[in-house]
Amino acid sequence: MERLLLDGLPEKEWGNSSINRTLVVPISNRHSIMFLTFGTSRSRGRHLNQQMYASRDLLSIRFSRWCRPQYFGQFVFSISMLILAGCGGPQSALEPAGHAAQDIAEIFWWMTAGGVVIWIAVIALTIYAVRIPPEAHNQRRTSYLIIGGGAIVPTIVLTVLLVYGLAPLPHLLAPAPEGSLRIFVSGEQWWWRIRYEVPGKEPVVLANEIRLPVGEPVEFRLDSPDVIHSFWVPSLAGKIDMIPGRTTRLALTPTRTGVFRGACAEYCGTSHALMSFYVIVHTREDFSRWLAHQQTPVIPSDAAVPARGRELFLASGCGACHTVRGTPANGVIGPDLTHVGSRLSIGAGSLPNNAEALLRWIARTEHVKPEVLMPAFGMLPHEDLQALAIYLEGLK
Ligand code: CUA
């Protein structure tokens, strides 16, 4: 690209310019692709002239295939479709399923629309500037244009966008009404400890999965025992940090049923990217049924394989870290496994929830989630691992 510039320009025009710091930006127009150059030159006075020279001389240069006008449209279309395909799904802030997410998506679209309008205006002015004949301009008019376009317009636009962007904050940060469902979430390395407070009953403890009733406000109380995490369910609300020694709050109201994915949005260590969770929004009846079921302890199975798995679970010391209510296992270091078989994933979204994945998790924990606290139990015979996996899968 630098050679092109040099070829296209009379040597003397560049003089002492520092070519190394020249940036070349391709821009499509009706006939061909134009290159706008931004460079730093030691002879600053001639900088604008050089830009114009560069752009004009390069207009007729042949470009790679996709840059040609007939392909450029297709190229832009394909890229746009590819990008837009990422706008949906269970973890998209652009497909809101909660009041807070709705507000945020609205801000995003207004900001985007504003950005597009400004971008088009700037590009149009640039093309105009490149195309007008290089002649002396009215000094006063030019100064007005620079002050107006460079200082006044941006100040107005940014102030309007700032006020518009900040306006929903009080609403987004407001606590849920008194008596709303309250869920405590603690960010662990690297999973989510979840506790539902049920008035008059024992709290319900689970991991990596949150269920909510549709249309009802809920308040999350968030904290962390060691490092900072960030709790984010893009489809339902904005993100909020989980800070050791502090309790942060997040209120939201889901507006439709469905399965949504949440993630940790703050780097928190080696397996930060393997720390996701699911939020399932139910109707009120389904939610109440689910919560009542979560409160029940495990009912021991009479079948031989799960019984062997249970025996191994207790004998191998799993109960030192995990709780399975209804058994002697009552550890609190790792996730509560009382109803682990009913969850959508294991290892905080790392693997699907089935016996095969559970076996892999138990035998090669470190391979699934690097630096995880849980030791791998790959030394156990395969039948034992299978029995353990089948036992855990059966904890519905
Ligand atoms: Cu937890 Cu990143």
Side-chain angles (χ1 to χ4, degrees):
M1 216 50 88
E2 286 164 10
R3 200 165 47 78
L4 288 182
L5 276 170
L6 285 170
D7 288 349
L9 289 170
E11 189 71 30
K12 61 179 170 57
E13 281 300 331
W14 280 99
N16 294 328
S17 303
S18 134
I19 294 291
N20 288 341
R21 279 183 276 162
T22 300
L23 171 70
V24 182
V25 182
I27 292 171
S28 153
N29 75 356
R30 205 152 42 88
H31 308 293
S32 183
I33 305 294
M34 199 165 55
F35 280 86
L36 290 182
T37 68
F38 303 92
T40 47
S41 159
R42 264 179 266 164
S43 48
R44 281 179 185 276
R46 292 212 310 266
H47 184 53
L48 193 64
N49 276 340
Q50 285 168 356
Q51 264 193 23
M52 292 195 301
Y53 262 103
S55 307
R56 282 159 169 237
D57 288 359
L58 288 169
L59 265 175
S60 56
I61 287 175
R62 291 216 190 152
F63 304 100
S64 62
R65 209 160 176 237
W66 69 263
C67 281
R68 290 187 197 154
Q70 65 266 42
Y71 297 112
F72 193 76
Q74 290 171 14
F75 176 77
V76 170
F77 181 77
S78 313
I79 291 290
S80 312
M81 286 300 111
L82 203 66
I83 293 168
L84 283 175
C87 294
Q91 196 183 313
S92 172
L94 301 180
E95 215 175 283
H99 287 149
Q102 188 86 47
D103 286 354
I104 293 166
E106 226 163 79
I107 294 174
F108 170 84
W109 285 117
W110 277 108
M111 294 274 184
T112 306
V116 168
V117 169
I118 293 166
W119 184 80
I120 290 172
V122 169
I123 294 301
L125 282 173
T126 313
I127 292 172
Y128 169 74
V130 168
R131 294 195 139 208
I132 52 165
E135 61 190 24
H137 299 297
N138 179 321
Q139 197 59 47
R140 181 177 286 191
R141 233 183 98 208
T142 311
S143 302
Y144 283 149
L145 198 66
I146 290 170
I147 294 167
I152 297 173
V153 172
T155 305
I156 294 171
V157 169
L158 291 178
T159 308
V160 169
L161 288 179
L162 181 72
V163 170
Y164 172 70
L166 290 179
L169 263 191
H171 171 60
L172 290 176
L173 295 177
E178 204 51 50
S180 302
L181 177 64
R182 208 177 273 170
I183 304 170
F184 294 79
V185 183
S186 204
E188 304 278 343
Q189 279 179 312
W190 294 272
W191 59 282
W192 310 83
R193 188 190 297 275
I194 291 152
R195 197 176 88 240
Y196 286 71
E197 276 199 350
V198 187
K201 289 188 181 158
E202 280 284 294
V204 169
V205 179
L206 67 155
N208 307 324
E209 193 164 296
I210 296 167
R211 304 214 180 196
L212 304 172
V214 69
E216 292 181 29
V218 44
E219 186 170 293
F220 289 97
R221 296 275 172 102
L222 309 154
D223 64 14
S224 164
D226 37 37
V227 299
I228 299 177
H229 305 268
S230 183
F231 181 86
W232 193 26
V233 193
S235 304
L236 298 181
K239 68 180 89 158
I240 194 144
D241 279 356
M242 310 170 91
I243 302 161
R246 263 172 74 173
T247 301
T248 45
R249 289 193 303 197
L250 177 76
L252 60 88
T253 308
T255 50
R256 60 182 162 91
T257 57
V259 177
F260 307 100
R261 194 170 182 274
C264 179
E266 176 86 41
Y267 182 75
C268 54
T270 307
S271 285
H272 150 74
L274 295 169
M275 184 178 174
S276 59
F277 60 103
Y278 285 95
V279 178
I280 300 135
V281 179
H282 288 295
T283 58
R284 180 24 104 169
E285 299 77 59
D286 287 350
F287 173 77
S288 301
R289 205 174 307 132
W290 171 82
L291 194 62
H293 177 66
Q294 291 292 314
Q295 281 165 325
T296 59
V298 160
I299 300 150
S301 165
D302 292 334
V305 178
R308 169 84 183 130
R310 179 181 188 268
E311 203 177 284
L312 280 163
F313 186 86
L314 298 172
S316 307
C318 305
C321 292
H322 298 285
T323 292
V324 177
R325 277 175 278 128
T327 76
N330 58 2
V332 292
I333 296 170
D336 185 297
L337 299 179
T338 308
H339 295 283
V340 66
S342 69
R343 295 174 200 156
L344 290 187
S345 74
I346 54 167
S350 303
L351 293 174
N353 194 353
N354 56 48
E356 202 183 320
L358 280 160
L359 191 152
R360 192 171 154 217
W361 173 261
I362 300 164
R364 304 175 57 117
T365 326
E366 168 76 22
H367 286 256
V368 179
K369 189 174 282 197
E371 286 189 21
V372 66
L373 216 53
M374 174 172 152
F377 284 79
M379 70 298 225
L380 293 178
H382 190 74
E383 306 81 71
D384 287 359
L385 289 169
Q386 245 170 346
L388 271 169
I390 289 168
Y391 166 64
L392 291 171
E393 192 198 17
L395 299 176
K396 299 284 187 194

